[in-house]
Amino acid sequence: FHVTGVQTCALPISITTVLKVVLLLVLVNYAGLVGGAIALNVVDWIDAVTISAAALHCMRASAGALLKRLVRPVLASLAMVAVLGWLGMAWTPTTATGFGPLCLDAATRVAVGAVGYAVALVVLWLAAGRPAGAERAVLGMLGKVWRRVGLGWS
């Protein structure tokens, strides 16, 4: 049994593990909990970059190809935040008190965000000419389910 990319990823992860320990020792001693958070954040970013580079290398893909695939989801995320902000639901405290109202407030914000993201993503996908990708696959699956249930969507 051989997993492609294990050797490629093992060295950077080993190096960042040592870096994490060193940064934690230094920054926690210097800045306490905040220093620990900074150390973990820095190493997590380094891990993300090195593991992504190794994965792209193993898949024979480019960073440009990856970024091209991320444009629509990132823009849809920004649109979702804009909608939530416009409605006063982003980064704002709730006025609800009690377990039920808090759950309802959270569920409302999640639902509004999900709908805003989905609508923005579909609009961006249509504007891009309906390229092959996750959007097409999901809409295809939804169409099959819709037809199976007998609602006649085609």
Side-chain angles (χ1 to χ4, degrees), residues 7-120:
Q7 295 84 5
T8 310
C9 294
L11 182 61
I13 291 172
S14 299
I15 292 169
T16 57
T17 300
V18 171
L19 178 62
K20 184 182 294 184
V21 170
V22 170
L23 282 176
L24 281 170
L25 289 172
V26 171
L27 292 177
V28 167
N29 188 41
Y30 177 73
L33 188 58
V34 172
I38 292 169
L40 293 176
N41 200 321
V42 166
V43 175
D44 284 347
W45 275 99
I46 294 169
D47 276 343
V49 170
T50 55
I51 292 169
S52 297
L56 288 171
H57 174 74
C58 291
M59 293 184 299
R60 293 175 176 78
S62 68
L66 176 64
L67 292 175
K68 184 179 175 185
R69 298 256 184 214
L70 293 176
V71 169
R72 287 191 308 274
V74 167
L75 291 175
S77 297
L78 292 173
M80 174 191 68
V81 170
V83 167
L84 288 169
W86 180 64
L87 294 173
M89 301 174 109
W91 302 295
T92 56
T94 183
T95 57
T97 57
F99 183 73
L102 286 171
C103 289
L104 181 61
D105 182 67
T108 302
R109 291 173 191 238
V110 167
V112 169
V115 169
Y117 177 84
V119 167

